[in-house]
Amino acid sequence: MAAHPLHLRHAGAADDGKGNAGTIVFLHGFPLAGSLWDAQMASLPDGWRGIAPDLRGFGRSPLGAAELPDGGAYPGVADPHEAVLTMDAMAADVARLVDEEVGGPVVICGLSMGGYVAFALWRQRPDLVRGLVLADTRAAADDPEGLETRRRMAETARTGGVEPIARAMVPKLLVPATMEGRPDVVEKVGAMIRGTSPRTIVAAVAGMAARPDSTPDLATIHVPTLVVVGTEDAITPVDGARAMAAALDAPVAEVPGAGHLTPVENPGAVNRALAEFLAP
Ligand code: MLT
């Protein structure tokens, strides 16, 4: 029935016929999939419906006709013949999904790249956003060092495929205790990365490199917002999350025992923070 191109995971009130307090749409990070949010989808607060799409090109959603390169704003990330998957394109997909599946404003919960998409959606369609959860993400655009890392990752994906990306990323995303003691989580995260095509990796890395600075948007966000961060997040560290929360005048849930992937490393703490945030 739905015309949007995203593979969806559904859970909650709309499926089991209970009252509908609202819908929360979970946006995963890079290069992951909607199953990042399995533990949240399994424990939604009463009356809430959850939708966790695989964003375009990730999980079971096709990359399709991603946007063409913009003439090389960041040369060397995507080559001229390669697709670029912008945050705006992904936000437009999410807007279509919300229009078609919900037909009214939702809470958007985005982790890292999912947060970049949430900012883009806020710029495009603030009417669809009644609340925001910004998890392990940042408002700032990439700095020159970050752009260089993007170039290197795109080249690795082109020449070596996804395996070296998975091997390098998993230990950066997860804390050492998870790496050593929770093979199920290591396996789940590795499988999500290995399920991503090199073409999507290049396209999304180029899209992230081209994303604008969302810092000026923070002052425009007037809906209830929660910031979530793993206390050991090495990619988007706690200090940055606190500063973003201060700019938003929003609370921060600091999640112990977690690095960059709070929803899988400490799902109980994330679920409690969400339940408190979504409580009437
Ligand atoms: C993510 O988890 O989505 C990535 O760390 C985002 C990024 O590379 O900037």
Side-chain angles (χ1 to χ4, degrees), residues 28-56:
H28 61 79
F30 166 88
L32 305 169
S35 55
L36 179 74
W37 303 103
D38 283 348
Q40 286 63 51
M41 294 284 277
S43 294
L44 290 168
D46 280 351
W48 280 83
R49 177 189 185 197
I51 305 177
D54 292 339
L55 292 168
R56 182 185 285 250

Side-chain angles (χ1 to χ4, degrees), residues 39 48 53 66 104 130 140 228:
W48 280 83
R130 63 179 264 198
V228 175

